[in-house]
Amino acid sequence: LHWPQRYSPQANWGQSLKYNIESDESGYWRQFGGPTTFEELCLSMEELIEKGKIRGWGLCNDNAYGLTACTRTAKALGCTPPCSIQGDFSMIDRKSEENGVAEAASPYNENVGFMSYNALAGGMLTGKY
């Protein structure tokens, strides 16, 4: 399953404070009815768990706020919280440490497993380039 992003589109870095979803003409937002709330996401995942279609669920490319808000919302609703978060992480790209995702995922905070992808930085760490 792929859910539409909850935040402003990633292409507008630097403009996010000026971003207004109501004036966005993008079909990406409009075809799915707008951004997904944490409540909708957690309730939908819980429904899939109860039907036996999935055992657990996780987030991908989210930030510390998204991870924390999602786990707290799930717990408040009595739903199963996410069990993992997947992020881009390598010796070159350490944003998951810098933006607080690694700390938020730790057992002391949300206790969510972190899985990295792109560990070889797209081949940069293999000597390919």
Side-chain angles (χ1 to χ4, degrees), residues 44-60:
S44 297
M45 293 296 114
E46 185 64 21
E47 184 180 331
L48 292 172
I49 290 172
E50 288 174 357
K51 289 181 178 178
K53 295 188 177 199
I54 61 173
R55 292 186 201 171
W57 62 283
L59 304 169
C60 183

PDB file of all heavy atoms in Angstrom, residues 44-60:
ATOM      1  N   SER A  44      -6.601   2.470   9.386  1.00  0.00           N
ATOM      2  CA  SER A  44      -6.550   1.602   8.206  1.00  0.00           C
ATOM      3  C   SER A  44      -5.586   0.443   8.405  1.00  0.00           C
ATOM      4  O   SER A  44      -5.884  -0.698   8.040  1.00  0.00           O
ATOM      5  CB  SER A  44      -6.137   2.404   6.971  1.00  0.00           C
ATOM      6  OG  SER A  44      -7.092   3.385   6.685  1.00  0.00           O
ATOM      7  N   MET A  45      -4.428   0.714   8.986  1.00  0.00           N
ATOM      8  CA  MET A  45      -3.461  -0.346   9.241  1.00  0.00           C
ATOM      9  C   MET A  45      -4.003  -1.338  10.276  1.00  0.00           C
ATOM     10  O   MET A  45      -3.822  -2.546  10.142  1.00  0.00           O
ATOM     11  CB  MET A  45      -2.130   0.237   9.716  1.00  0.00           C
ATOM     12  CG  MET A  45      -1.395   1.039   8.667  1.00  0.00           C
ATOM     13  SD  MET A  45      -0.898   0.051   7.247  1.00  0.00           S
ATOM     14  CE  MET A  45      -1.897   0.771   5.977  1.00  0.00           C
ATOM     15  N   GLU A  46      -4.700  -0.830  11.292  1.00  0.00           N
ATOM     16  CA  GLU A  46      -5.282  -1.716  12.302  1.00  0.00           C
ATOM     17  C   GLU A  46      -6.342  -2.623  11.681  1.00  0.00           C
ATOM     18  O   GLU A  46      -6.430  -3.805  12.018  1.00  0.00           O
ATOM     19  CB  GLU A  46      -5.887  -0.898  13.446  1.00  0.00           C
ATOM     20  CG  GLU A  46      -6.393  -1.732  14.594  1.00  0.00           C
ATOM     21  CD  GLU A  46      -5.310  -2.518  15.312  1.00  0.00           C
ATOM     22  OE1 GLU A  46      -4.110  -2.164  15.216  1.00  0.00           O
ATOM     23  OE2 GLU A  46      -5.655  -3.519  15.959  1.00  0.00           O
ATOM     24  N   GLU A  47      -7.109  -2.088  10.760  1.00  0.00           N
ATOM     25  CA  GLU A  47      -8.125  -2.895  10.068  1.00  0.00           C
ATOM     26  C   GLU A  47      -7.470  -4.035   9.285  1.00  0.00           C
ATOM     27  O   GLU A  47      -7.944  -5.172   9.307  1.00  0.00           O
ATOM     28  CB  GLU A  47      -8.931  -2.003   9.129  1.00  0.00           C
ATOM     29  CG  GLU A  47     -10.072  -2.709   8.435  1.00  0.00           C
ATOM     30  CD  GLU A  47     -10.859  -1.776   7.514  1.00  0.00           C
ATOM     31  OE1 GLU A  47     -10.912  -0.569   7.779  1.00  0.00           O
ATOM     32  OE2 GLU A  47     -11.406  -2.291   6.524  1.00  0.00           O
ATOM     33  N   LEU A  48      -6.357  -3.741   8.623  1.00  0.00           N
ATOM     34  CA  LEU A  48      -5.639  -4.783   7.879  1.00  0.00           C
ATOM     35  C   LEU A  48      -5.056  -5.836   8.813  1.00  0.00           C
ATOM     36  O   LEU A  48      -5.028  -7.023   8.489  1.00  0.00           O
ATOM     37  CB  LEU A  48      -4.536  -4.153   7.022  1.00  0.00           C
ATOM     38  CG  LEU A  48      -5.009  -3.293   5.850  1.00  0.00           C
ATOM     39  CD1 LEU A  48      -3.828  -2.580   5.204  1.00  0.00           C
ATOM     40  CD2 LEU A  48      -5.756  -4.129   4.828  1.00  0.00           C
ATOM     41  N   ILE A  49      -4.579  -5.409   9.982  1.00  0.00           N
ATOM     42  CA  ILE A  49      -4.046  -6.356  10.967  1.00  0.00           C
ATOM     43  C   ILE A  49      -5.161  -7.261  11.482  1.00  0.00           C
ATOM     44  O   ILE A  49      -4.999  -8.482  11.574  1.00  0.00           O
ATOM     45  CB  ILE A  49      -3.350  -5.609  12.122  1.00  0.00           C
ATOM     46  CG1 ILE A  49      -2.052  -4.974  11.618  1.00  0.00           C
ATOM     47  CG2 ILE A  49      -3.081  -6.539  13.302  1.00  0.00           C
ATOM     48  CD1 ILE A  49      -1.379  -4.047  12.605  1.00  0.00           C
ATOM     49  N   GLU A  50      -6.308  -6.678  11.807  1.00  0.00           N
ATOM     50  CA  GLU A  50      -7.430  -7.464  12.318  1.00  0.00           C
ATOM     51  C   GLU A  50      -7.946  -8.469  11.291  1.00  0.00           C
ATOM     52  O   GLU A  50      -8.399  -9.549  11.665  1.00  0.00           O
ATOM     53  CB  GLU A  50      -8.557  -6.530  12.755  1.00  0.00           C
ATOM     54  CG  GLU A  50      -8.239  -5.780  14.025  1.00  0.00           C
ATOM     55  CD  GLU A  50      -9.279  -4.748  14.393  1.00  0.00           C
ATOM     56  OE1 GLU A  50     -10.254  -4.554  13.628  1.00  0.00           O
ATOM     57  OE2 GLU A  50      -9.114  -4.117  15.452  1.00  0.00           O
ATOM     58  N   LYS A  51      -7.870  -8.134   9.999  1.00  0.00           N
ATOM     59  CA  LYS A  51      -8.296  -9.048   8.940  1.00  0.00           C
ATOM     60  C   LYS A  51      -7.244 -10.113   8.650  1.00  0.00           C
ATOM     61  O   LYS A  51      -7.485 -11.024   7.862  1.00  0.00           O
ATOM     62  CB  LYS A  51      -8.590  -8.273   7.653  1.00  0.00           C
ATOM     63  CG  LYS A  51      -9.844  -7.438   7.728  1.00  0.00           C
ATOM     64  CD  LYS A  51     -10.077  -6.718   6.422  1.00  0.00           C
ATOM     65  CE  LYS A  51     -11.355  -5.903   6.461  1.00  0.00           C
ATOM     66  NZ  LYS A  51     -11.568  -5.163   5.200  1.00  0.00           N
ATOM     67  N   GLY A  52      -6.066  -9.995   9.256  1.00  0.00           N
ATOM     68  CA  GLY A  52      -4.997 -10.964   9.045  1.00  0.00           C
ATOM     69  C   GLY A  52      -4.222 -10.761   7.759  1.00  0.00           C
ATOM     70  O   GLY A  52      -3.472 -11.641   7.343  1.00  0.00           O
ATOM     71  N   LYS A  53      -4.368  -9.609   7.140  1.00  0.00           N
ATOM     72  CA  LYS A  53      -3.664  -9.350   5.872  1.00  0.00           C
ATOM     73  C   LYS A  53      -2.230  -8.913   6.088  1.00  0.00           C
ATOM     74  O   LYS A  53      -1.384  -9.111   5.232  1.00  0.00           O
ATOM     75  CB  LYS A  53      -4.423  -8.314   5.057  1.00  0.00           C
ATOM     76  CG  LYS A  53      -5.783  -8.821   4.631  1.00  0.00           C
ATOM     77  CD  LYS A  53      -6.471  -7.897   3.685  1.00  0.00           C
ATOM     78  CE  LYS A  53      -7.787  -8.541   3.262  1.00  0.00           C
ATOM     79  NZ  LYS A  53      -8.318  -7.970   2.063  1.00  0.00           N
ATOM     80  N   ILE A  54      -1.944  -8.292   7.216  1.00  0.00           N
ATOM     81  CA  ILE A  54      -0.577  -7.904   7.568  1.00  0.00           C
ATOM     82  C   ILE A  54      -0.356  -8.210   9.048  1.00  0.00           C
ATOM     83  O   ILE A  54      -1.299  -8.306   9.820  1.00  0.00           O
ATOM     84  CB  ILE A  54      -0.295  -6.405   7.286  1.00  0.00           C
ATOM     85  CG1 ILE A  54      -1.225  -5.504   8.108  1.00  0.00           C
ATOM     86  CG2 ILE A  54      -0.395  -6.095   5.808  1.00  0.00           C
ATOM     87  CD1 ILE A  54      -0.900  -4.025   8.019  1.00  0.00           C
ATOM     88  N   ARG A  55       0.919  -8.376   9.434  1.00  0.00           N
ATOM     89  CA  ARG A  55       1.244  -8.606  10.843  1.00  0.00           C
ATOM     90  C   ARG A  55       1.670  -7.312  11.532  1.00  0.00           C
ATOM     91  O   ARG A  55       1.517  -7.166  12.728  1.00  0.00           O
ATOM     92  CB  ARG A  55       2.378  -9.614  10.962  1.00  0.00           C
ATOM     93  CG  ARG A  55       1.999 -10.989  10.537  1.00  0.00           C
ATOM     94  CD  ARG A  55       3.137 -11.914  10.840  1.00  0.00           C
ATOM     95  NE  ARG A  55       3.025 -13.096  10.028  1.00  0.00           N
ATOM     96  CZ  ARG A  55       3.953 -14.009   9.937  1.00  0.00           C
ATOM     97  NH1 ARG A  55       5.072 -13.882  10.588  1.00  0.00           N
ATOM     98  NH2 ARG A  55       3.772 -15.061   9.183  1.00  0.00           N
ATOM     99  N   GLY A  56       2.272  -6.440  10.771  1.00  0.00           N
ATOM    100  CA  GLY A  56       2.761  -5.175  11.297  1.00  0.00           C
ATOM    101  C   GLY A  56       2.935  -4.208  10.151  1.00  0.00           C
ATOM    102  O   GLY A  56       2.782  -4.572   8.988  1.00  0.00           O
ATOM    103  N   TRP A  57       3.270  -2.985  10.481  1.00  0.00           N
ATOM    104  CA  TRP A  57       3.412  -1.978   9.433  1.00  0.00           C
ATOM    105  C   TRP A  57       4.475  -0.965   9.842  1.00  0.00           C
ATOM    106  O   TRP A  57       4.902  -0.920  10.986  1.00  0.00           O
ATOM    107  CB  TRP A  57       2.074  -1.311   9.152  1.00  0.00           C
ATOM    108  CG  TRP A  57       1.467  -0.558  10.293  1.00  0.00           C
ATOM    109  CD1 TRP A  57       0.826  -1.088  11.369  1.00  0.00           C
ATOM    110  CD2 TRP A  57       1.464   0.847  10.473  1.00  0.00           C
ATOM    111  NE1 TRP A  57       0.408  -0.106  12.205  1.00  0.00           N
ATOM    112  CE2 TRP A  57       0.780   1.105  11.691  1.00  0.00           C
ATOM    113  CE3 TRP A  57       1.948   1.912   9.742  1.00  0.00           C
ATOM    114  CZ2 TRP A  57       0.597   2.401  12.174  1.00  0.00           C
ATOM    115  CZ3 TRP A  57       1.750   3.201  10.219  1.00  0.00           C
ATOM    116  CH2 TRP A  57       1.078   3.425  11.414  1.00  0.00           C
ATOM    117  N   GLY A  58       4.909  -0.199   8.857  1.00  0.00           N
ATOM    118  CA  GLY A  58       5.958   0.770   9.132  1.00  0.00           C
ATOM    119  C   GLY A  58       5.846   1.995   8.263  1.00  0.00           C
ATOM    120  O   GLY A  58       4.965   2.110   7.413  1.00  0.00           O
ATOM    121  N   LEU A  59       6.781   2.892   8.469  1.00  0.00           N
ATOM    122  CA  LEU A  59       6.844   4.151   7.739  1.00  0.00           C
ATOM    123  C   LEU A  59       8.106   4.161   6.896  1.00  0.00           C
ATOM    124  O   LEU A  59       9.057   3.426   7.160  1.00  0.00           O
ATOM    125  CB  LEU A  59       6.880   5.324   8.730  1.00  0.00           C
ATOM    126  CG  LEU A  59       5.727   5.389   9.720  1.00  0.00           C
ATOM    127  CD1 LEU A  59       6.025   6.413  10.808  1.00  0.00           C
ATOM    128  CD2 LEU A  59       4.441   5.727   9.011  1.00  0.00           C
ATOM    129  N   CYS A  60       8.137   5.021   5.901  1.00  0.00           N
ATOM    130  CA  CYS A  60       9.307   5.141   5.040  1.00  0.00           C
ATOM    131  C   CYS A  60       9.564   6.610   4.752  1.00  0.00           C
ATOM    132  O   CYS A  60       8.638   7.367   4.451  1.00  0.00           O
ATOM    133  CB  CYS A  60       9.071   4.376   3.740  1.00  0.00           C
ATOM    134  SG  CYS A  60      10.488   4.379   2.635  1.00  0.00           S
TER     135      CYS A  60
END
